[in-house]
């Protein structure tokens, strides 16, 4: 009976590892761009929460970042080891719990919105909060009633976790973190991904087998940074014992698998002759996303991940000792991509493939915005004549009108680039400026 419960726990851990990778990878696929819709000259508010133009900003991981992953990870890990060793563990965990609670509320709410929208296809009007300072958008929030509802649910669940440390809610938070990370963090190339996996392969070996640091931090760190499942759901002594898997063993290979899926789609679209400056290929039937395509690289890499995870669990079960999962997962995922590329004769294409984050693409494509020119009707100004000028008069007085408009722009502009105290000039000075401009 105990063995059956243990194998059930292994199966549950495996399922919780694969699920966020699979769904997070497909969630990382951007909506295709094309000339299907008329280009906009300015930003417009989208009306519904599932608008086709609504995309999340992503963070790219470059080759330089990949080289530094093990370094930053080692610094963070050893710092946490020292903190737990020399400071009060309870107080440290209180601070960490508060930090992860804030992140958890946001992650759970976002995942909840995606699940509801994906399963029901619901469309709700959006609310917009737009904060502008000196003609620059400082903040633009878009949300619907669904976002507010999911935010309330996530706050309740996070509150229950902080109060009870329930392992089921802890798993929900961990899965939400994993899904969000795989969706939003993007490797810019397979080269970067392989460097990252190789570096973390060495990182895991050193900190698990070479020191006590990793195990010590894992035991003291009381936060939803792992998925767990009881070895026996109904133990005789009433004390639950868990088998676990760290979120790093899900997220790190997960963003590599997401890259493989995006490469599969890239290859398919290249065969169709897709060009974002042209209309969509007919084979897509007008779909900007949600269309099917062959996934040889994603399938092989997912199979390698499952095999590597099974190997990790088997070794752990046989030798009754914790195992660094990336020791098996990293080479499995790398070899799967390289092997598939060799078999398909696409090695050159694999290592030439690069992509940018959505934020970088927008910064490159977005033109530099200048301050808008405010035109004023001179007939509404004090002392101006009510009779409109003819076209000839406007042409003759072009320089005078331009000068007066410039003065009005500086003194009446409702979104001035100066503070209120600077903009409040004496009326005599304003009149003098106008007279001088006319001359």
């Amino acid at each position: 009976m105990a063995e059956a419960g243990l194998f059930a726990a292994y199966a549950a851990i495996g399922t919780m590892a694969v699920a966020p990778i699979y769904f997070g990878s497909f969630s990382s696929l951007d909506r295709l761009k094309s000339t299907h819709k008329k280009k906009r000259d300015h930003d417009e508010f989208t009306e519904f929460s599932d608008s086709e133009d609504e995309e999340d900003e992503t963070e790219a991981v470059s080759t330089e970042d990949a080289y530094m992953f093990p370094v930053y990870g080692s610094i963070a890990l050893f710092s946490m080891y020292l903190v737990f060793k020399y400071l009060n563990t309870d107080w440290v965990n209180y601070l960490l719990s508060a930090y992860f609670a804030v992140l958890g509320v946001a992650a759970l709410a976002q995942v909840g919105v995606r699940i509801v929208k994906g399963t029901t296809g619901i469309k709700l009007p959006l609310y917009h909060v737009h904060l502008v300072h000196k003609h620059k958008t400082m903040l633009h929030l878009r949300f619907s009633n669904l976002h507010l509802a999911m935010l309330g649910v996530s706050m309740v669940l996070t509150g229950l976790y902080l109060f009870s440390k329930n392992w089921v809610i802890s798993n929900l938070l961990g899965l939400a973190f994993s899904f969000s990370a795989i969706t939003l963090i993007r490797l810019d190339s397979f080269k970067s991904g392989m460097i990252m996996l190789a570096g973390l392969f060495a990182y895991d070996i050193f900190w698990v087998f070479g020191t006590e640091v990793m195990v010590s931090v894992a035991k003291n760190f009381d936060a939803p940074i792992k998925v767990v499942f009881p070895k026996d759901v109904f133990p005789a002594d009433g004390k639950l014992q868990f088998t676990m898997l760290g979120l790093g063993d899900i997220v790190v290979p997960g963003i590599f698998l997401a890259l493989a899926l995006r490469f599969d789609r890239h290859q398919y679209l290249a065969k169709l002759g897709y060009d974002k400056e042209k209309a969509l290929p007919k084979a897509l039937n007008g779909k900007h996303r949600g269309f099917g395509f062959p996934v040889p690289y994603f399938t092989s890499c997912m199979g390698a991940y499952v095999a590597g995870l099974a190997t990790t669990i088997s070794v752990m079960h046989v030798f009754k000792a914790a195992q660094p999962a990336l020791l098996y997962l990293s080479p499995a995922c790398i070899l799967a991509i390289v092997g598939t590329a060799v078999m398909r004769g696409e090695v050159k294409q694999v290592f030439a493939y690069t992509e940018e984050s959505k934020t970088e693409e927008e910064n490159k494509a977005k033109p530099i915005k200048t301050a808008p020119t405010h035109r004023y009707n001179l007939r509404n100004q004090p002392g101006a004549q009510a009779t409109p000028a003819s076209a000839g008069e406007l042409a003759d007085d072009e320089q005078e009108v331009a000068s007066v408009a410039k003065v009005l722009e500086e003194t009446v502009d409702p979104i001035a680039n100066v503070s209120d105290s600077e903009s409040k000039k004496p009326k005599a000075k304003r009149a003098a400026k106008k007279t001088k401009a006319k001359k």
Side-chain angles (χ1 to χ4, degrees):
M1 184 66 181
E3 285 292 314
L6 186 58
F7 287 125
Y10 293 155
I13 290 292
T15 302
M16 287 188 286
V18 171
I21 292 178
Y22 180 85
F23 293 106
S25 296
F26 278 93
S27 181
S28 74
L29 296 175
D30 287 330
R31 178 182 182 274
L32 293 181
K33 298 179 181 178
S34 72
T35 56
H36 178 68
K37 283 193 171 185
K38 186 178 179 181
K39 293 183 179 179
R40 299 172 181 173
D41 295 330
H42 55 84
D43 294 333
E44 294 179 3
F45 289 151
T46 50
E47 181 181 358
F48 293 104
S49 61
D50 61 344
S51 168
E52 294 178 339
D53 296 325
E54 186 181 359
E55 296 282 357
D56 293 319
E57 291 187 356
T58 57
E59 185 68 29
V61 177
S62 65
T63 302
E64 292 76 15
D65 298 328
Y67 277 119
M68 296 306 295
F69 249 81
V71 177
Y72 295 145
S74 297
I75 293 173
L77 180 66
F78 191 66
S79 298
M80 290 304 304
Y81 172 76
L82 294 177
V83 167
F84 281 120
K85 185 174 182 179
Y86 294 107
L87 297 180
N88 186 289
T89 302
D90 292 334
W91 283 107
V92 172
N93 278 317
Y94 289 150
L95 293 175
L96 291 173
S97 296
Y99 173 73
F100 279 98
V102 175
L103 296 180
V105 168
L108 275 177
Q110 187 64 25
V111 173
V113 168
R114 288 179 179 269
I115 292 174
V116 173
K117 286 168 61 175
T119 55
T120 65
I122 189 172
K123 294 182 179 181
L124 294 173
L126 281 172
Y127 300 102
H128 291 264
V129 176
H130 208 76
L131 180 62
V132 179
H133 178 62
K134 294 184 179 180
H135 311 304
K136 295 180 181 179
T137 299
M138 308 301 292
L139 177 68
H140 183 195
L141 297 178
R142 296 175 294 184
F143 57 92
S144 66
N145 289 331
L146 178 60
H147 289 82
L148 296 177
M150 290 298 102
L151 183 64
V153 172
S154 63
M155 290 177 68
V156 171
L157 289 175
T158 304
L160 289 174
Y161 166 75
L162 292 174
F163 178 75
S164 64
K165 298 294 182 178
N166 182 271
W167 64 272
V168 175
I169 303 177
S170 176
N171 284 344
L172 291 178
L173 290 168
L175 293 174
F177 289 146
S178 300
F179 175 87
S180 299
I182 294 169
T183 300
L184 301 178
I185 301 175
R186 301 192 178 191
L187 293 163
D188 66 354
S189 65
F190 282 106
K191 178 184 176 182
S192 299
M194 292 177 185
I195 291 172
M196 180 188 68
L197 288 174
L200 293 177
F201 169 84
Y203 163 91
D204 245 18
I205 292 176
F206 174 76
W207 289 112
V208 172
F209 293 129
T211 70
E212 64 167 1
V213 173
M214 181 78 79
V215 176
S216 175
V217 171
K219 289 181 178 179
N220 289 298
F221 205 121
D222 187 15
I225 58 169
K226 55 188 176 291
V227 290
V228 301
F229 200 86
K231 298 177 181 179
D232 188 354
V233 180
F234 304 104
D237 58 0
K239 296 181 179 179
L240 293 175
Q241 293 183 333
F242 297 93
T243 183
M244 64 186 68
L245 182 69
L247 296 189
D249 301 324
I250 300 174
V251 173
V252 172
I255 60 178
F256 189 73
L257 269 91
L259 176 66
L261 181 65
R262 294 194 297 274
F263 177 72
D264 282 330
R265 190 178 75 159
H266 168 79
Q267 291 291 87
Y268 174 69
L269 293 174
K271 291 180 180 179
L272 296 181
Y274 164 73
D275 186 344
K276 64 181 180 181
E277 300 299 330
K278 299 179 181 179
L280 291 176
K282 293 182 179 180
L284 299 181
N285 296 320
K287 293 183 177 180
H288 290 260
R289 65 183 357 153
F291 52 86
F293 55 91
V295 289
Y297 288 90
F298 180 72
T299 301
S300 63
C301 200
M302 179 63 84
Y305 177 82
V306 172
L309 189 60
T311 303
T312 304
I313 293 174
S314 300
V315 173
M316 180 182 66
H317 181 77
V318 171
F319 292 97
K320 307 297 181 183
Q323 297 293 311
L326 290 179
L327 174 66
Y328 308 95
L329 298 176
S330 293
C333 291
I334 292 174
L335 291 175
I337 294 297
V338 174
T340 305
V342 170
M343 292 178 60
R344 294 173 61 87
E346 297 175 342
V347 175
K348 184 178 180 180
Q349 292 92 319
V350 165
F351 285 96
Y353 177 70
T354 60
E355 56 180 48
E356 295 176 336
S357 70
K358 183 170 177 60
T359 306
E360 290 176 339
E361 291 178 354
E362 287 178 345
N363 291 338
K364 287 184 178 181
K366 189 182 294 183
I368 299 175
K369 294 183 178 180
T370 58
T373 301
H374 297 277
R375 297 181 179 178
Y376 299 90
N377 188 343
L378 298 182
R379 291 174 292 163
N380 294 334
Q381 300 301 322
Q385 295 181 359
T387 305
S390 65
E393 290 173 335
L394 287 174
D396 294 337
D397 298 333
E398 182 178 1
Q399 293 182 349
E400 181 179 355
V401 172
S403 299
V404 175
K406 183 178 180 181
V407 174
L408 293 175
E409 175 73 15
E410 293 175 352
T411 58
V412 189
D413 189 352
I415 312 179
N417 289 329
V418 294
S419 63
D420 292 340
S421 60
E422 294 174 339
S423 63
K424 292 179 180 178
K425 298 180 179 180
K427 293 183 178 180
K429 289 186 178 181
R430 293 184 181 179
K433 281 192 174 183
K434 291 182 183 179
T435 304
K436 186 177 179 181
K438 290 181 179 180
K439 290 180 180 181

